[in-house]
Amino acid sequence: MSSEITKMVIGIDDTDSREGMCTTYLCALLRDELSSFTKLISDPILVRLNPTIPYKTRGNASVALFIECGDRERVIGHVKEKIASMACLDNENTNPGVVFVDEEKFNAVRDKLRSFFKRAVKDVITIDEAKELVSELDLEFQAFKNGRGLIGALSACGAMLDPEWDHTYEYLAYRKKDVWGTKRSVDESSLFNADRQTYPDTWDTVDLVNNIVVCVPHSGDPVLYGIRGKDVSSVEKAASFVVSEPVERFCIYRTNQGTDMHLISVSSISEIEEMRSYILEGEVCSEPVTIRGGHTIFILKDTAGDIIDCAAFEPTKNFRELIRKLISGDKVLVYGSVTENTINIEKIKITDLSPAYEIRNPQCPSCGKRMKSAGSGQGYRCKKCGTNSEIPERTEIKRDIVPGFYEVPPCARRHLAKLLLRFENEDLPVFPGR
Ligand code: ATP
């Protein structure tokens, strides 16, 4: 078998730590190294899995390559050896996994891997489940340490074998190894220019509202910058405007970023579980409050009367100003992940605004003079003619928000969150976070 031409999907995950490396870099490196004795069949894949998973290093990414090769054993040996030598194995939270799916198995394993992938984006999966699946499907694999990376590796294989999911692209440029860990040198004005030249076909390169660069990370990993967009030519075009330190290599990935694949639609709060992400409809039932740390929180009530906290956290910046304008009775659709019994709002659709009133002391029905409070809970009294009244004056005031779709700014965007600019016409936003 090893000398026959055959196709193979390779899924890899959990090779990095906060101190260095990046699984996408390993993928780009492998693609380049394997290119001398294999052929790449389709774009490498970078999938983001459940964003609430606590074991993640940063964005819960996993990767897959699809190749054609003449020497299967050589490919497997090379990939395993590269992971063993490059993964941050000393870090207790780094537990790499790699899975190889041979062409002859594609049809037999596709459905199970596809649903595993979908579950890994929305749900929480145990290492045992991944180990059981890899052995049930009789796939070649290697699990390092506790093997948690098998979850992401299997998911990435499922994504590669399933052509059906909504996708976008990311162009990732990597730094030369000798500068890893040092300050990145990317000309900011070139990034603003790249955005100007290619938005809305690319997005989240810069944040115009907050006037900051979004696409350059700050951690010690090998990524120099990442350009996100709707297709390969758009991200390539944007990257061509970027002026920076030398790029060691780059890779364009097909990805589920910006698709809302993580969200589960529910009709009641009782269906909600921790560490999942939802679309939930409800009524605002408290005035939003801003707590220490700058996080703005309101309570949402569903039709059964159950309640849950919804938060616009401090990093969402100006989005909090919008949330602060909500009042009790407003009807909304909230999109976001649930941890610690709180929805972390990624975007919100305001469907109905409750009327707002200014409450004043009433005018005296007898003499027309403005009445005074008669004491706490005792209504009003006219000082001139002595008339009493229980009812204050309520004047409806104009709300300074309008129904529509609102999203967090690019600097606070979750990888998986679908941007308003990607929504179809019927859902057109009134306030994209830009
Ligand atoms: P980076 O973004 O820098 O590549 P990361 O944020 O992707 O890092 P990992 O180092 O890959 O983080 O760690 C995430 C771990 O969580 C992996 O071992 C992955 O297999 C596992 N994992 C991913 N999705 C799930 C899930 N739905 N349930 C349980 N475990 C998961």
Side-chain angles (χ1 to χ4, degrees), residues 233-248:
S233 61
S234 303
V235 294
E236 271 177 339
K237 183 175 172 197
S240 73
F241 292 104
V242 181
V243 177
S244 73
E245 64 183 52
V247 170
E248 186 207 73

Side-chain angles (χ1 to χ4, degrees), residues 264-417:
I264 305 163
S265 272
V266 283
S267 51
S268 70
I269 291 168
S270 61
E271 296 168 65
I272 285 181
E273 290 179 82
E274 282 286 300
M275 293 172 62
R276 274 76 173 173
S277 309
Y278 295 99
I279 304 175
L280 172 71
E281 192 171 6
E283 187 178 307
V284 176
C285 72
S286 76
E287 302 301 311
V289 288
T290 299
I291 60 168
R292 205 141 63 101
H295 316 303
T296 300
I297 298 174
F298 68 86
I299 301 171
L300 190 76
K301 185 174 71 180
D302 68 8
T303 46
D306 289 329
I307 57 169
I308 189 163
D309 281 350
C310 297
F313 288 105
E314 189 282 331
T316 64
K317 305 290 174 205
N318 53 311
F319 182 71
R320 293 169 302 163
E321 287 161 26
L322 174 274
I323 296 298
R324 287 180 198 130
K325 291 178 180 172
L326 293 171
I327 61 170
S328 286
D330 288 345
K331 304 267 178 20
V332 295
L333 216 55
V334 170
Y335 296 63
S337 301
V338 176
T339 47
E340 295 176 24
N341 219 7
T342 301
I343 301 183
N344 175 355
I345 311 170
E346 293 165 10
K347 50 184 173 275
I348 189 166
K349 189 172 188 178
I350 302 173
T351 51
D352 194 28
L353 288 174
S354 175
Y357 298 98
E358 186 185 38
I359 312 281
R360 302 171 70 196
N361 291 0
Q363 279 187 309
C364 176
S366 310
C367 70
K369 198 167 160 49
R370 185 79 44 200
M371 300 172 88
K372 297 275 182 224
S373 169
S376 173
Q378 295 179 61
Y380 304 91
R381 183 172 178 78
C382 179
K383 278 211 159 167
K384 192 173 167 200
C385 67
T387 306
N388 290 316
S389 172
E390 294 294 319
I391 308 155
E393 186 178 289
R394 291 195 333 157
T395 321
E396 188 166 345
I397 50 172
K398 195 170 175 309
R399 301 284 305 273
D400 61 352
I401 44 171
V402 289
F405 233 144
Y406 299 82
E407 66 186 349
V408 301
C411 67
R413 181 132 37 229
R414 280 256 168 97
H415 296 293
L416 276 162

Side-chain angles (χ1 to χ4, degrees), residues 13-16 22-23 48-50 53 55-61 95 119-121 123-125 148-152:
D13 197 14
D14 207 347
T15 64
D16 55 4
C22 171
T23 304
R48 300 287 177 176
L49 306 176
N50 185 338
I53 292 298
Y55 326 108
K56 68 180 182 178
T57 311
R58 285 173 291 266
N60 203 3
N95 298 285
R119 269 191 65 214
V121 177
D123 209 341
V124 181
I125 296 179
R148 180 173 287 118
L150 283 179
I151 299 170

